[in-house]
């Protein structure tokens, strides 16, 4: 048998220690032996009841059987698996506010606790003309207290009664310590009727039953809310009270016989009544430090000061727990086979990543106070600015603070300058820093001396959190857009055959629009049509797949740019269209289209995948297996090795290219409108010539720009046409893409070696 006692854990370190006591043998209960009753009588029915309870929880397999005489009926699945399993969220918070305090106290409540709860609702009798942003406000149309409470409970039962286990009701002049409240709800059993809060006596009566004071908030269990719902109308007509909390307490006592309790299952609801003009920074009583709720809060600034005070207390408590856990780890390390040599720094965090080959070695980025020597565009040196500069400044400031804290009062350090700086991101630990600092050390007697010291710091990875994202579905129709230049017309039939095999044949919910780009002297009167073969291939697919329509648009441009071409297509489609901008060398399949649907979110995110570019077959012969039969005359061959490890001999993920993209038409139109508003005249014309669609989203849109490798997009080798009209950055990226796409280093070296051997002979 083993008894497990979980120790306190800390969110920042991610530690989870268990103290285990092992007991050998199958004798009597050691606790019974300790009190002198080793052979005491036992209840013979206890084991029988235990065995019977075990029988109730044994799984029972129900075999699937479908009556062949009845017609098959498709089962409709729920949108979320949580709904199908009957799972519920833990806690919903309802805030009772008013029209006068909605924009002040209610906003302060929202800013201090909203990010801790799954859902936060605000209920008011009447609200003003403008609702504060980011708040879900429900107006009942009546300011009477009993009516407001009754309608709030009715609303919670109707809309969320099946989705949440606990309902916490509070006023907007209450500060709630959100992490403690969430932990309290997590420790309580959900199968009991519970009315938990600060118990108060009814005014003017000598009853033993209590009600929960609304100023300090109270918890209602889901089962209690379900039982209370049929009695709300009767309580509203029979009970007269000027206070909504007293009305609710009287209704629960009269209808269900349940009163307010301050303690349940060993969990006590602690609250603190804040005196008028009391400074939270000077409050240090045990009742204040352990409170779940503080009341009354007269203004929003006081709410923020309380939040600052309790946040500092939680931080100090977390640091104290970290120190205790680190001390326990040091004590236990002596008993491990590695001994103290196996103790990593910092104590309690994972050891540094150990590379298994030279390709997995994590590189260090060198920086000074003014420059960094690892730039995103490949330049050897660039200014240290923005978030990167703030990150370095924070690391240097933290290093000086820790040095002074460690050596004071004997020494006091002052930074002269940063000699060298190194940093790298370790996926197992976080961001590591190594700083060479030139310091001036000052003793207690005033002596000064210059010192150069190296310090190491680590910014650990914090708790992984799930960010709320809008709901997307794989049923959205994708509109593929294929711009075709005259030079690419010969490759278009192969693209159309691959499109038919991967999209039309499995009946994917996707359409294709061909954008035929003619030159100034091409396709005129009497001149042959360079896209005649493309149009014939499109017509053939429409004949082979009835109901399919491949639309094409013809434009004439001397120097076509991606943005101008997208402007033409955007005007032809509704604003809710999901575009997939592709190239003639790309082979989008069902998996790629699904990832396009899931990663492009209207009003939130645009997705630009990074395709896998095959090397020049003349320099790097492909060693990939042949494609499956029926995949078309030009199926995309998979890489020769695992491309995610960066060691493929068949190609590479082309990070410089951004020709493919998934985005909604409404988001593109918003970005173009912002571009037109910020740039005007000749400047706008130059921007349209020199920008790609991804750069438009990057510079003129507030959306998230998601870039990720897409193994399903495999392109045959081709040299991109780098237009001199592109901006300097885009032209440099285009040239770099062509050069890096020739082959790997080993293949290029072998080609040079063979060329030198041929020249020497």
């Amino acid at each position: 048998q083993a008894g497990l006692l979980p120790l306190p854990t800390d969110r920042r370190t991610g530690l989870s220690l268990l103290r285990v006591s092992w007991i050998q043998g199958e004798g009597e209960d050691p606790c019974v032996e300790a009190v002198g009753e080793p052979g005491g009588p036992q209840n013979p029915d206890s084991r029988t009841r235990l065995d019977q309870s075990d029988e109730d929880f044994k799984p029972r397999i129900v075999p699937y059987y479908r009556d062949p005489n009845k017609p098959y009926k498709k089962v409709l699945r729920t949108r979320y698996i949580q709904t199908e399993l009957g799972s519920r969220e833990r806690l919903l918070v309802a805030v009772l506010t008013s029209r006068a305090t909605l924009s002040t106290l209610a906003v302060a409540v929202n800013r201090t606790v909203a990010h801790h709860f799954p859902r936060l609702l605000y209920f008011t009798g009447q609200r003003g003309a403008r609702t504060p942003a980011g708040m879900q406000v429900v107006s009942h149309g009546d300011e009477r207290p009993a009516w407001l409470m009754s309608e709030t409970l009715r609303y919670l039962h109707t809309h969320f009664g099946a989705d949440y286990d606990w309902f916490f009701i509070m006023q907007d002049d209450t500060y709630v310590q959100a992490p403690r409240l969430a932990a309290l709800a997590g420790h309580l059993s959900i199968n009991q009727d519970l009315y938990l809060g600060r118990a108060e006596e009814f005014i003017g009566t000598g009853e033993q039953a209590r009600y929960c004071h609304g100023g300090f908030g109270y918890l209602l269990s889901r089962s209690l809310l379900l039982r209370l719902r049929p009695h709300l109308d009767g309580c509203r007509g029979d009970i007269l009270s000027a206070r909504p909390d007293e009305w609710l307490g009287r209704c629960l006592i009269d209808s269900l016989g349940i009163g307010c309790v301050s303690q349940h299952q060993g969990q006590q609801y602690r609250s603190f009544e804040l005196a008028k003009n009391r400074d939270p920074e000077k409050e240090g009583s045990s009742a204040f430090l352990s409170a779940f709720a503080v009341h009354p809060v007269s203004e929003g600034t006081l709410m923020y000061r309380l939040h600052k005070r309790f946040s500092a207390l939680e931080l100090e408590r977390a640091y104290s727990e970290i120190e205790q856990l680190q001390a326990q780890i040091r004590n236990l390390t002596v008993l491990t086979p590695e001994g103290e040599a196996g103790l990593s720094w910092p104590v309690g965090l994972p050891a540094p990543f150990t590379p298994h080959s030279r390709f997995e070695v994590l590189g260090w980025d060198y920086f000074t106070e003014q420059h960094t020597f690892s730039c995103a565009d490949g330049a050897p040196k660039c200014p240290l600015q923005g978030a990167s500069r703030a990150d370095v400044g924070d690391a240097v400031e933290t290093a000086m603070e820790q040095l002074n804290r460690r050596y004071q009062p004997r020494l006091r350090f002052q930074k002269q300058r940063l000699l060298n700086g190194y940093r790298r991101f370790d996926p197992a630990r976080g961001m590591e820093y190594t700083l060479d600092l030139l310091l001036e050390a000052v003793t207690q007697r005033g002596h000064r001396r210059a010192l150069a010291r190296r310090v190491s710091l680590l910014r650990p990875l914090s708790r992984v959190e799930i960010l709320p994202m809008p709901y997307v579905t794989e049923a959205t129709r994708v509109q593929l857009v294929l711009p075709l230049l005259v030079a690419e017309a010969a490759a278009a039939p192969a693209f159309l055959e691959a499109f038919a095999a991967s999209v039309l044949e499995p009946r994917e919910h996707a359409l294709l629009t061909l954008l035929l780009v003619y030159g100034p002297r091409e396709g005129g009167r009497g001149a042959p049509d360079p896209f005649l073969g493309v149009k014939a291939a499109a017509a053939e697919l429409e004949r082979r797949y009835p109901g399919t329509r491949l639309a094409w648009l013809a434009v004439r441009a001397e120097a076509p740019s991606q943005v101008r071409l997208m402007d033409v297509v955007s005007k032809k489609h509704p604003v809710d269209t999901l575009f997939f901008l592709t190239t003639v060398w790309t082979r989008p399949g069902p998996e790629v289209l699904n990832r396009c649907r899931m990663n492009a979110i209207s009003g939130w995110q645009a997705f630009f995948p990074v395709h896998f570019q095959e090397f020049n077959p003349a320099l790097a012969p492909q060693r990939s297996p042949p494609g499956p039969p029926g995949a078309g005359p030009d199926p995309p061959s998979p890489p020769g090795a695992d491309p995610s490890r960066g060691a493929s001999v068949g190609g590479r993920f082309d990070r410089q290219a951004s020709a493919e993209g998934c985005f909604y038409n409404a988001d593109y139109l918003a970005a173009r409108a912002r571009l037109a508003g910020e740039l005007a005249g000749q400047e706008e014309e130059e921007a349209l010539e020199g920008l790609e669609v991804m750069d438009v989203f990057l510079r003129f849109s507030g959306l998230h720009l998601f870039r990720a490798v897409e193994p399903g997009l495999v392109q045959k080798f081709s040299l991109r046409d780098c237009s001199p009209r592109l901006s300097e950055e885009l032209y440099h990226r285009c040239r770099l893409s062509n050069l890096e796409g020739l082959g790997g280093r080993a293949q290029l070296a072998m080609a040079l070696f063979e060329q030198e051997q041929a020249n020497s002979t």
Side-chain angles (χ1 to χ4, degrees):
Q1 299 177 355
L4 302 183
L5 177 62
L7 296 180
T9 59
D10 180 67
R11 300 176 181 175
R12 297 161 183 80
T13 59
L15 296 178
S16 180
L17 300 181
L18 292 178
R19 180 179 298 159
V20 184
S21 60
W22 298 95
I23 303 171
Q24 297 182 354
E26 298 181 354
E28 303 295 337
D29 192 337
C31 296
V32 177
E33 295 178 1
V35 297
E37 297 180 358
Q42 296 183 357
N43 186 357
D45 297 333
S46 60
R47 186 178 300 274
T48 304
R49 286 197 300 267
L50 181 61
D51 295 339
Q52 291 176 354
S53 63
D54 290 343
E55 291 291 336
D56 295 339
F57 290 96
K58 286 186 177 181
R60 184 168 61 92
I61 300 176
V62 180
Y64 173 75
Y65 173 76
R66 182 169 67 89
D67 191 349
N69 299 323
K70 295 182 179 180
Y72 175 72
K73 187 176 182 181
K74 185 177 180 181
V75 179
L76 296 178
R77 304 294 299 271
T78 57
R79 172 177 291 185
Y80 301 105
I81 190 173
Q82 180 182 14
T83 306
E84 190 166 295
L85 295 176
S87 303
R88 292 187 294 269
E89 294 285 352
R90 175 64 64 175
L91 181 62
L92 180 145
V93 178
V95 182
L96 302 181
T97 182
S98 63
R99 182 176 183 178
T101 59
L102 179 60
S103 59
T104 54
L105 287 176
V107 171
V109 171
N110 189 71
R111 291 180 176 177
T112 53
V113 302
H115 52 286
H116 290 283
F117 299 123
R119 186 178 291 273
L120 190 64
L121 301 176
Y122 297 86
F123 295 91
T124 179
Q126 297 187 10
R127 59 182 177 184
R130 297 183 60 183
T131 302
M135 296 171 57
Q136 186 174 351
V137 181
V138 179
S139 177
H140 296 313
D142 197 321
E143 295 284 355
R144 289 177 295 174
W147 176 277
L148 178 61
M149 176 59 69
S150 174
E151 291 301 313
T152 297
L153 295 173
R154 190 191 309 274
Y155 186 92
L156 294 177
H157 173 272
T158 303
H159 295 86
F160 305 103
D163 300 330
Y164 290 87
D165 292 326
W166 294 98
F167 299 88
F168 183 74
I169 302 176
M170 57 178 285
Q171 299 174 182
D172 58 3
D173 60 346
T174 305
Y175 174 76
V176 175
Q177 232 292 313
R180 297 180 188 175
L181 180 63
L184 174 66
H187 282 85
L188 296 173
S189 174
I190 63 175
N191 296 324
Q192 297 184 8
D193 299 336
L194 184 61
Y195 178 34
L196 181 67
R198 176 164 172 165
E200 298 280 350
E201 295 182 357
F202 286 97
I203 300 176
T205 63
E207 298 182 64
Q208 295 295 328
R210 307 289 185 93
Y211 75 95
C212 290
H213 195 292
F216 301 96
Y218 43 87
L219 272 174
L220 293 177
S221 63
R222 173 178 175 270
S223 59
L224 181 60
L225 181 62
L226 296 180
R227 291 184 58 192
L228 178 63
R229 170 63 183 87
H231 304 282
L232 290 178
D233 293 334
C235 290
R236 189 167 60 188
D238 298 338
I239 302 175
L240 299 178
S241 177
R243 293 171 54 101
D245 49 2
E246 286 191 8
W247 177 88
L248 176 60
R250 175 61 64 188
C251 182
L252 286 170
I253 294 172
D254 294 347
S255 58
L256 303 177
I258 297 176
C260 177
V261 294
S262 298
Q263 187 175 357
H264 183 72
Q265 295 180 347
Q267 303 294 323
Q268 185 175 1
Y269 188 84
R270 298 179 294 272
S271 58
F272 182 81
E273 186 171 356
L274 187 65
K276 189 176 182 180
N277 299 327
R278 185 67 177 178
D279 188 0
E281 298 294 334
K282 299 179 180 180
E283 190 64 57
S285 62
S286 59
F288 176 82
L289 299 179
S290 61
F292 290 92
V294 178
H295 173 79
V297 181
S298 57
E299 55 184 2
T301 55
L302 181 58
M303 185 85 69
Y304 299 133
R305 292 168 61 193
L306 284 168
H307 186 65
K308 177 183 177 182
R309 172 68 168 151
F310 277 99
S311 298
L313 292 174
E314 288 296 320
L315 195 59
E316 292 176 3
R317 185 179 292 108
Y319 285 146
S320 176
E321 292 181 3
I322 291 174
E323 293 178 357
Q324 295 176 11
L325 292 172
Q326 288 177 337
Q328 295 180 17
I329 292 174
R330 292 189 186 96
N331 295 335
L332 293 174
T333 304
V334 183
L335 306 177
T336 61
E338 297 85 0
E340 294 184 358
L343 190 64
S344 62
W345 178 89
V347 178
L349 290 178
F353 172 75
T354 303
H356 300 286
S357 66
R358 63 187 181 93
F359 298 103
E360 297 179 353
V361 175
L362 301 178
W364 290 87
D365 298 335
Y366 178 75
F367 61 87
T368 62
E369 290 183 299
Q370 291 80 25
H371 297 89
T372 179
F373 294 81
S374 57
C375 308
D377 57 354
K381 179 181 178 181
C382 56
L384 187 66
Q385 56 188 2
S388 184
R389 188 182 188 90
D391 177 59
V392 171
D394 183 51
V396 173
E397 182 180 349
T398 303
M400 295 303 303
E401 180 182 347
Q402 295 295 329
L403 284 173
N404 284 317
R405 180 182 301 176
R406 180 173 182 179
Y407 291 100
Q408 281 184 352
R410 293 176 298 167
L411 293 175
R412 181 167 50 87
F413 294 100
Q414 297 178 356
K415 183 180 75 73
Q416 300 299 313
R417 64 187 180 94
L418 175 65
L419 299 177
N420 303 292
Y422 310 87
R423 64 179 174 182
R424 72 174 183 181
F425 179 74
D426 189 331
R429 291 156 52 90
M431 186 69 76
E432 299 179 352
Y433 304 84
T434 299
L435 306 178
D436 294 333
L437 298 171
L438 181 61
L439 307 171
E440 183 183 46
V442 183
T443 65
Q444 289 178 305
R445 297 183 178 181
H447 300 293
R448 298 175 179 270
R449 182 182 176 183
L451 296 175
R453 289 292 183 266
R454 168 167 288 189
V455 297
S456 297
L457 300 94
L458 173 67
R459 191 189 302 274
L461 293 173
S462 59
R463 182 184 61 170
V464 177
E465 298 182 5
I466 300 178
L467 297 178
M469 297 288 288
Y471 174 77
V472 291
T473 175
E474 294 183 356
T476 306
R477 186 179 67 182
V478 180
Q479 177 66 57
L480 285 86
V481 178
L482 175 62
L484 274 177
L485 302 178
V486 174
E488 301 170 339
F495 173 89
L496 293 177
E497 288 296 329
F499 174 79
S502 59
V503 179
L504 299 182
E505 188 69 31
R507 298 184 180 275
E508 279 290 320
H509 197 34
L511 301 176
L512 175 64
T513 296
L514 302 174
L515 191 59
L516 310 179
V517 184
Y518 291 86
R521 297 189 181 91
E522 296 165 342
R525 293 183 179 179
D529 188 355
F531 295 107
L532 186 60
V534 178
K535 298 176 181 178
E540 174 63 20
L541 290 184
E542 292 180 350
R543 185 189 63 80
R544 283 164 47 188
Y545 299 94
T548 301
R549 185 176 182 276
L550 302 182
W552 56 269
L553 300 173
V555 296
R556 189 178 302 276
E558 180 179 358
S561 69
Q562 194 181 49
V563 179
R564 290 187 181 278
L565 296 179
M566 197 63 222
D567 287 346
V568 176
V569 180
S570 177
K571 297 176 182 178
K572 303 290 184 179
H573 293 84
V575 294
D576 59 346
T577 303
L578 174 59
F579 286 125
F580 187 127
L581 187 60
T582 183
T583 66
V584 72
W585 314 108
T586 306
R587 303 293 185 263
E591 293 185 359
V592 176
L593 295 180
N594 281 337
R595 280 190 281 269
C596 172
R597 297 183 181 104
M598 301 303 292
N599 292 322
I601 306 174
S602 179
W604 186 275
Q605 180 173 280
F607 176 51
F608 287 84
V610 180
H611 66 255
F612 187 85
Q613 178 72 47
E614 294 182 353
F615 288 144
N616 190 340
L619 298 177
Q622 295 290 329
R623 288 182 273 176
S624 57
D634 190 18
S637 58
D642 184 9
S644 63
R645 300 179 60 88
S648 172
V649 297
R652 67 181 184 89
F653 285 107
D654 192 357
R655 296 182 300 172
Q656 311 298 335
S658 58
E660 295 90 3
C662 297
F663 48 88
Y664 279 86
N665 193 16
D667 298 331
Y668 176 77
L669 293 175
R672 280 290 286 114
R674 183 174 173 183
L675 184 150
E678 295 184 7
L679 305 178
Q682 185 65 25
E683 189 177 4
E684 181 183 2
E685 294 296 324
E686 294 177 356
L688 294 179
E689 294 290 341
L691 292 179
E692 293 185 343
V693 173
M694 189 186 77
D695 299 279
V696 172
F697 278 100
L698 187 62
R699 293 177 53 183
F700 301 98
S701 174
L703 272 65
H704 296 272
L705 194 62
F706 183 38
R707 290 274 282 170
V709 294
E710 177 50 74
L713 285 181
V714 182
Q715 288 195 9
K716 295 291 186 181
F717 171 77
S718 64
L719 290 176
R720 298 171 58 190
D721 183 17
C722 301
S723 172
R725 295 177 178 268
L726 293 173
S727 64
E728 182 179 356
E729 179 184 357
L730 293 181
Y731 182 79
H732 174 71
R733 280 166 42 188
C734 180
R735 294 284 298 169
L736 192 62
S737 173
N738 286 337
L739 295 176
E740 292 179 350
L742 292 175
R745 288 183 298 179
Q747 294 139 354
L748 294 177
M750 183 61 67
L752 290 175
F753 176 75
E754 294 175 354
Q755 185 178 4
E756 290 182 358
Q757 291 291 329
N759 294 337
S760 61
T761 57

